[in-house]
Amino acid sequence: MSRKKAEAAAAQREREEWQLGIDWARWLLAGNSPQVLTMYGLVLEPGEVAYIQTSAHYARLYGGDGRYTHNSGLFIGKPGLVLGMMAATAAVNAGRKAAAKRDMQPTWRNLQELPVVATNYRLLCHLPRSGWMSFYYSAVQEFYPDPANWMITFGFQNAVPLRLSGLPIPTLSVLTAWCVLGDGRWQGEPGIAPLIRAAAGPQVQGGSGAEIPGEVVQGEIGPGEPPPTR
């Protein structure tokens, strides 16, 4: 595939995923609940149901511990050689200390693409080494959906912030706003305002003048999409 065709295909995928987020917003604005997704293998809690199974880019915001290896050696030899070796060791130690200090600054780490499941209680992310990690909506203290930039950030009571990014973000932003903020509040979340406006506005008119409902695209999100409104 040529570069131009690849770019066109990527742009089309973005349009489809953005439209899917609008479809979800329209569905929830109408007072509907998300369609339940049947899950196998992953054991959910009593009363918990899955809505979305997809993949996203995962990252956590935290700083390093500031540790570094300090070299201190025993130097034997002529005075000039010993002084040179001591100066070189001091320079190495200073460089390591400076690097450790920089590493202590919070930055997005653990960047990787991984499976994500969204339920009515939590987000589950499957990390290769530790398995499924849960992020409960009830523990969210900060919520920053930014579908226009294809990312969403969560701050928690007792955990470092989580950022998810990628094509599923318009839909995940709408769903998590609905889950985190609750019915009656989620519609006012500024981050998803572009999706809400598109969902609440008039639908596209076809050539015959009939309304064309938003197309539900079968893609990254899996079978948990709300059915298209006809």
Side-chain angles (χ1 to χ4, degrees):
M1 181 182 295
S2 67
R3 180 177 178 181
K4 183 176 291 186
K5 288 184 177 180
E7 290 176 350
Q12 178 63 24
R13 282 295 308 282
E14 289 183 355
R15 287 192 295 270
E16 292 172 351
E17 295 293 343
W18 186 262
Q19 181 61 51
L20 187 54
I22 295 171
D23 293 340
W24 269 79
R26 184 179 295 120
W27 179 256
L28 296 176
L29 284 171
N32 301 303
S33 294
Q35 186 176 352
V36 173
L37 176 66
T38 301
M39 294 289 300
Y40 297 100
L42 180 62
V43 179
L44 302 178
E45 297 180 0
E48 185 177 22
V49 293
Y51 294 142
I52 290 175
Q53 182 178 14
T54 185
S55 61
H57 296 279
Y58 165 100
R60 307 298 298 278
L61 181 66
Y62 61 93
D65 58 15
R67 296 179 181 178
Y68 69 98
T69 301
H70 181 89
N71 284 345
S72 56
L74 176 63
F75 307 108
I76 301 174
K78 296 182 178 179
L81 177 61
V82 169
L83 290 175
M85 295 174 65
M86 292 176 62
T89 300
V92 169
N93 287 333
R96 290 176 177 174
K97 182 177 181 180
K101 186 175 181 180
R102 290 193 300 271
D103 187 58
M104 291 177 65
Q105 299 301 314
T107 188
W108 290 106
R109 303 167 186 262
N110 299 351
L111 278 65
Q112 55 193 302
E113 186 174 8
L114 43 70
V116 176
V117 173
T119 78
N120 56 331
Y121 291 171
R122 53 183 167 160
L123 288 170
L124 294 105
C125 299
H126 190 272
L127 278 70
R129 292 186 177 182
S130 53
W132 289 104
M133 181 175 291
S134 296
F135 302 92
Y136 284 86
Y137 304 133
S138 59
V140 173
Q141 284 190 326
E142 298 178 79
F143 177 61
Y144 304 107
D146 187 11
N149 290 304
W150 306 94
M151 66 178 63
I152 181 170
T153 305
F154 302 88
F156 300 96
Q157 295 175 2
N158 298 307
V160 298
L162 163 71
R163 185 179 69 191
L164 297 175
S165 59
L167 290 175
I169 294 306
T171 297
L172 283 175
S173 293
V174 170
L175 176 61
T176 53
W178 186 77
C179 292
V180 171
L181 302 177
D183 193 20
R185 293 179 55 205
W186 72 274
Q187 304 94 322
E189 166 55 47
I192 61 172
L195 298 168
I196 294 296
R197 286 196 299 268
Q203 293 178 286
V204 178
Q205 299 293 318
S208 62
E211 287 188 349
I212 301 176
E215 179 187 5
V216 176
V217 179
Q218 299 291 340
E220 286 291 318
I221 300 302
E225 303 93 347
T229 54
R230 299 292 182 186

